[in-house]
């Protein structure tokens, strides 16, 4: 986000007619210029960019540094190719244009597109470079097109004369299938001294490459809300799964303990209701046969794997209850911790329990359980009361829990 | 003239360091690892190891704006014997000068520093030319030995303030 005034020096000499960069060197250059202007103005709205041509009849300033992108793009139209590039004069005129910039707080930068051979010798270029350094002007050089002997050397010498603290860069672009602009996107000329790439550059790179490097395939820059929502739901799902895994592990531990019915963390949000059900469940428990025990344990194990299935939830709730106070207390603790995640399952379960006919039908399906048994009836009644109490409490919970 | 001692804080001349507007201080052609701060700021300038150094060639252009209008009486520039500054030109109230336009207008004052100056003897400027100074530009044209690098150890400006309103001291009148 550096505040910068940039002058772009375009090479519009005869050498630009060549087609080794698609479609012509000149067109590739124009595309690159458009991209750079966009990137600069986007990274900081107060940045200004100007354009001048180095060849033709002489060095000509097309537009003085301005932040108006439209003006810059418009002046790129109708440019004629011809003549020879005058590198030294071009840079000096650029420096002059920058000196008279309106906002003196802007850093000065010149970007040169050197496509044709460089006829000045190294000494002259070095002097120019030093003068730029003295006036704290940074210089970026794009070396493309003609591979004249010594051209690369001269440009490197120019760069080292200007360079302070790596603020100036040079990029050599050999002819090939890649467009000039694509190659430039990844260079520090675009990313601005390694600031980490403006959003523009990153998005452009993503579009060009077709691959987004961000999580969930959503660019946080482009759509922060969506990215955030995706991340949050991912974390919630993970937490839910962890809770389920924890419960399953807990179940396994309990079953090893003494073959007793493990406490279901679901039915113990209300500690009172939990203790109320306990003694009655206790009575009921004693009525069941050993076969029944084994079957019920199986059912519990299955239901633990899938606590969301309301059917098995109903089953589990009926048959389980803590028989040992220790287990109950521990389960209460666990459930209180797991409460936020369980509330959703509890809501469903509450509805299930509320439907008494459904509950009694389930009971009837259980072999060895007589719905007419007084202890069973008592249990049902207490559970009914519990579910009502639970419903009341669930109303206090945020409504979006219900929506899940 | 004999009243002037080596430390040269005579009468009511104060060190103008307190009135320097640090946000606008600039120095062209300085070496980034030896910057103007080393020569100007309290503490830094006393440190013998820290100095201001020029980069591409021996010239330096220092721009110092002030927070209020001051009168400049004298200045002090300390540096090494050979690489210390020699010809120094001062411009008052000229903003954003560059090396190209230092010769465009005559300086408010110019000084050729002797070795005594470099050891700490202050140079008294033409006081009449610096009666109402908002910003000061110091152009160091060359150094003692004529080499490529100029080094400045310490820069101190002495003067007084013009009677200007201290905005912080203004208190809001209570509304009835």
């Amino acid at each position: 986000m550096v505040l910068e005034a940039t002058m772009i020096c375009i090479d519009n000499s005869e050498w630009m007619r060549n087609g080794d960069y698609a479609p012509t060197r000149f067109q590739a250059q124009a595309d690159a210029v458009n991209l750079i202007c966009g990137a600069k103005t986007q990274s900081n709205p107060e940045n200004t960019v100007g354009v001048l041509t180095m060849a033709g009849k002489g060095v000509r300033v097309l537009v003085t540094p301005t932040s108006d992108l439209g003006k810059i793009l418009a002046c790129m139209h109708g440019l004629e190719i011809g003549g020879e590039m005058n590198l030294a004069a071009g840079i000096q005129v650029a420096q002059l244009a920058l000196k008279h910039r309106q906002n003196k707080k802007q850093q000065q930068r010149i970007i040169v597109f050197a496509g044709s051979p460089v006829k000045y010798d190294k000494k002259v270029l070095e002097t120019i470079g030093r003068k730029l350094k003295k006036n704290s002007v940074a210089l970026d050089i794009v070396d493309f097109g003609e591979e004249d002997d010594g051209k690369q050397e001269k440009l490197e010498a120019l760069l080292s004369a200007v360079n302070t603290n790596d603020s100036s860069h040079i990029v050599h672009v050999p002819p090939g299938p890649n467009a000039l602009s694509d190659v430039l996107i990844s260079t520090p000329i675009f990313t601005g001294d390694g600031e980490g790439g403006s959003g523009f550059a990153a998005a452009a790179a993503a579009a060009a490459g077709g691959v987004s490097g961000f999580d969930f395939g959503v660019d946080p820059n482009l759509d922060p809300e969506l990215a955030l929502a995706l991340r949050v739901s991912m974390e919630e799902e993970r937490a839910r799964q962890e809770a389920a895994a924890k419960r399953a592990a807990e179940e396994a531990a309990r079953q090893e303990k003494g073959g007793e019915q493990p406490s279901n963390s679901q039915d113990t949000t209300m500690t009172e209701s939990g203790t109320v059900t306990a003694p009655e469940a206790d009575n009921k428990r004693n009525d069941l046969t050993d076969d029944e025990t084994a079957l019920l344990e199986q059912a519990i194990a299955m239901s633990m794997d899938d606590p969301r299935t309301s059917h098995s939830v109903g089953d589990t709730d009926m048959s389980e209850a803590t028989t040992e106070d220790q287990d109950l207390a521990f389960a209460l603790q666990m459930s209180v911790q797991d409460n936020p995640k369980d509330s959703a399952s509890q809501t469903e379960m509450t509805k299930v329990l509320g439907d008494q006919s459904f509950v009694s039908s389930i009971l009837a399906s259980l072999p060895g359980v007589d719905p007419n048994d007084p202890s069973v009836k008592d249990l049902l009644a207490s559970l009914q009361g519990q579910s009502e109490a639970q419903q009341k409490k669930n109303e206090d919970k945020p409504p979006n829990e219900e929506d899940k | 003239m004999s009243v002037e001692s080596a430390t040269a804080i005579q009468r009511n001349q104060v060190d103008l360091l307190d009135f320097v507007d640090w946000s606008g201080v600039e120095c062209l052609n300085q070496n980034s690892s030896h910057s103007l701060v080393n020569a100007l700021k309290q503490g830094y300038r006393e440190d013998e190891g820290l100095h201001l150094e020029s980069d591409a060639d021996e010239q330096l252009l220092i721009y110092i704006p002030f927070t209020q209008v001051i009168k400049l009486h004298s200045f002090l520039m300390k540096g090494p014997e050979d690489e210390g500054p020699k010809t120094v030109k001062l411009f008052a109230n000229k903003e954003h000068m560059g090396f190209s336009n230092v010769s465009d207008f005559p300086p408010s004052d110019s000084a050729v520093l002797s070795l005594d100056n470099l050891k700490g003897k202050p140079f008294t400027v033409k006081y009449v030319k610096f009666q109402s100074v908002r910003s000061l530009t110091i152009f160091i044209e060359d150094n003692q030995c004529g080499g490529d690098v100029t080094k400045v150890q310490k820069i101190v400006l002495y003067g007084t303030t013009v009677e200007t309103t201290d905005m912080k001291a203004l208190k809001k009148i209570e509304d009835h």
Side-chain angles (χ1 to χ4, degrees):
Chain A
M1 288 291 256
V2 188
L3 184 55
E4 226 175 31
T6 312
M7 276 303 288
I8 304 183
C9 304
I10 297 182
D11 183 358
N12 60 334
S13 60
E14 289 285 351
W15 273 270
M16 293 299 109
R17 290 192 202 273
N18 198 328
D20 52 359
Y21 297 82
T24 60
R25 283 180 186 172
F26 184 72
Q27 199 48 49
Q29 204 186 176
D31 291 340
V33 170
N34 291 342
L35 266 175
I36 292 178
C37 295
K40 293 282 178 199
T41 44
Q42 219 193 32
S43 77
N44 187 329
E46 286 189 52
N47 280 352
T48 55
V49 182
V51 179
L52 61 79
T53 54
M54 292 191 283
K57 287 216 177 72
V59 176
R60 188 161 70 100
V61 176
L62 297 173
V63 57
T64 56
T66 169
S67 51
D68 184 358
L69 195 57
K71 213 164 160 191
I72 301 166
L73 298 179
C75 80
M76 295 291 295
H77 285 298
L79 280 180
E80 287 179 4
I81 299 181
E84 259 186 37
M85 171 181 85
N86 187 343
L87 185 62
I91 295 179
Q92 282 167 336
V93 172
Q95 192 184 345
L96 196 62
L98 285 173
K99 201 172 99 157
H100 293 284
R101 65 195 185 284
Q102 293 204 310
N103 184 355
K104 299 290 180 194
K105 288 212 190 293
Q106 289 167 327
Q107 306 274 335
Q108 303 171 71
R109 180 173 290 274
I110 301 177
I111 304 180
V112 174
F113 283 85
S116 41
V118 176
K119 60 179 189 273
Y120 292 94
D121 56 331
K122 234 202 249 182
K123 285 270 168 9
V124 176
L125 291 176
E126 275 176 1
T127 323
I128 295 174
R130 251 173 289 154
K131 200 156 154 249
L132 287 177
K133 181 151 88 157
K134 200 169 154 190
N135 287 289
S136 64
V137 179
L139 179 67
D140 289 335
I141 308 174
V142 180
D143 174 18
F144 71 111
E146 291 296 310
E147 277 303 313
D148 196 6
D149 49 12
K151 179 184 174 192
Q152 189 164 348
E153 250 182 73
K154 287 178 187 173
L155 293 177
E156 294 274 3
L158 173 59
L159 185 86
S160 51
V162 182
N163 203 356
T164 43
N165 299 340
D166 278 337
S167 64
S168 304
H169 318 94
I170 185 168
V171 180
H172 304 279
V173 187
N178 303 328
L180 188 60
S181 354
D182 290 342
V183 176
L184 284 179
I185 282 174
S186 53
T187 60
I189 292 180
F190 247 90
T191 58
D193 301 343
E195 279 166 7
S198 62
F200 183 91
V211 173
S212 116
F214 304 105
D215 298 335
F216 317 120
V218 173
D219 179 2
N221 291 332
L222 291 176
D223 202 343
E225 288 152 353
L226 180 56
L228 182 67
L230 285 168
R231 204 184 329 133
V232 167
S233 67
M234 176 82 138
E235 282 168 10
E236 273 177 344
E237 183 56 43
R238 217 179 293 140
R240 235 178 278 138
Q241 281 172 2
E242 274 171 30
K246 214 190 299 173
R247 244 178 283 140
E250 195 189 315
E251 288 298 317
R254 288 287 165 60
Q255 280 176 3
E256 283 165 14
K257 243 187 192 174
E260 292 293 342
Q261 290 305 314
S263 66
N264 186 357
S265 51
Q266 290 170 333
D267 70 321
T268 49
T269 356
M270 322 300 144
T271 56
E272 316 162 330
S273 324
T275 41
V276 164
T277 49
E280 286 166 304
D282 223 348
N283 295 336
K284 174 178 167 279
R285 187 73 194 77
N286 294 332
D287 293 340
L288 298 171
T289 62
D290 285 337
D291 291 346
E292 182 59 26
T293 317
L295 274 170
L296 284 168
E297 278 181 1
Q298 261 183 7
I300 293 155
M302 277 179 2
S303 76
M304 284 287 63
D305 290 347
D306 192 3
R308 292 207 159 266
T309 312
S310 50
H311 197 86
S312 52
V313 157
D315 253 344
T316 324
D317 192 61
M318 292 314 307
S319 51
E320 292 172 358
T322 50
T323 50
E324 296 172 4
D325 288 336
Q326 214 183 24
D327 281 343
L328 175 58
F330 188 52
L332 287 175
Q333 262 184 348
M334 293 298 311
S335 73
V336 166
Q337 283 167 13
D338 288 341
N339 187 27
K341 289 144 204 146
D342 291 345
S343 56
S345 49
Q346 273 159 355
T347 317
E348 287 174 40
M349 194 210 59
T350 310
K351 287 180 197 152
V352 166
L353 284 181
D355 190 354
Q356 201 171 15
S357 54
F358 180 60
V359 161
S360 37
S361 70
I362 291 173
L363 272 182
S365 67
L366 285 176
V369 175
D370 188 2
N372 296 324
D373 194 354
S375 53
V376 174
K377 273 196 176 158
D378 285 344
L379 180 62
L380 269 176
S382 69
L383 279 167
Q384 183 67 27
Q386 178 199 347
S387 65
E388 275 172 3
Q390 259 192 354
Q391 257 175 351
K392 276 188 202 137
K393 263 229 176 175
N394 278 345
E395 277 163 14
D396 294 340
K397 292 201 174 92
N400 58 1
E401 295 278 357
E402 300 258 357
D403 290 342
K404 278 192 191 159
Chain B
M1 272 313 186
S2 57
V3 179
E4 273 179 72
S5 59
T7 50
I9 302 186
Q10 57 157 346
R11 278 184 279 176
N12 49 356
Q13 304 299 332
V14 294
D15 186 341
L16 295 173
L17 189 64
D18 299 329
F19 306 107
V20 169
D21 177 11
W22 291 104
S23 62
V25 168
E26 276 173 22
C27 181
L28 288 185
N29 199 31
Q30 64 179 342
N31 189 329
S32 47
S33 48
H34 298 275
S35 64
L36 179 60
V37 180
N38 292 348
L40 208 49
K41 262 199 175 165
Q42 193 66 39
Y44 290 83
R45 63 187 185 187
E46 313 302 335
D47 188 342
E48 293 296 321
L50 297 174
H51 58 266
L52 164 67
E53 200 175 293
S54 69
D55 197 3
D57 62 10
E58 74 279 5
Q59 297 185 338
L60 282 165
L61 193 61
I62 303 167
Y63 172 71
I64 302 174
F66 297 101
T67 54
Q68 55 171 300
V69 182
I70 51 111
K71 298 184 207 265
L72 183 68
H73 178 267
S74 54
F75 73 92
L76 187 157
M77 220 178 259
K78 265 175 85 170
E81 273 183 18
D82 44 356
E83 285 147 334
K86 191 162 99 183
T87 314
V88 175
K89 291 191 175 150
L90 297 174
F91 299 84
N93 297 329
K94 290 268 186 318
E95 316 242 305
H96 302 120
M97 291 186 71
F99 288 104
S100 47
N101 54 358
V102 282
S103 37
D104 286 351
F105 18 74
S108 307
D109 198 4
S110 67
V112 178
L113 297 181
S114 63
L115 290 177
D116 278 344
N117 292 118
L118 289 177
K119 288 215 176 57
K121 181 160 166 246
F123 185 92
T124 313
V125 301
K126 288 197 188 110
Y127 201 36
V128 291
K129 300 248 173 157
F130 295 95
Q131 285 301 299
S132 141
V133 176
R134 261 250 157 231
S135 72
L136 185 67
T137 305
I138 303 173
F139 174 50
I140 298 175
E141 201 166 353
D142 53 24
N143 54 29
Q144 299 285 334
C145 64
D148 260 347
V149 178
T150 304
K151 289 187 184 156
V152 183
Q153 180 64 45
K154 183 171 167 181
I155 300 175
V156 187
L157 303 169
Y158 295 106
T160 51
T161 57
V162 176
E163 295 303 320
T164 46
T165 318
D166 181 9
M167 296 307 289
K168 291 194 183 76
L170 273 182
K171 284 205 177 67
K172 192 173 167 198
I173 298 174
E174 297 291 334
D175 289 329
H176 296 297

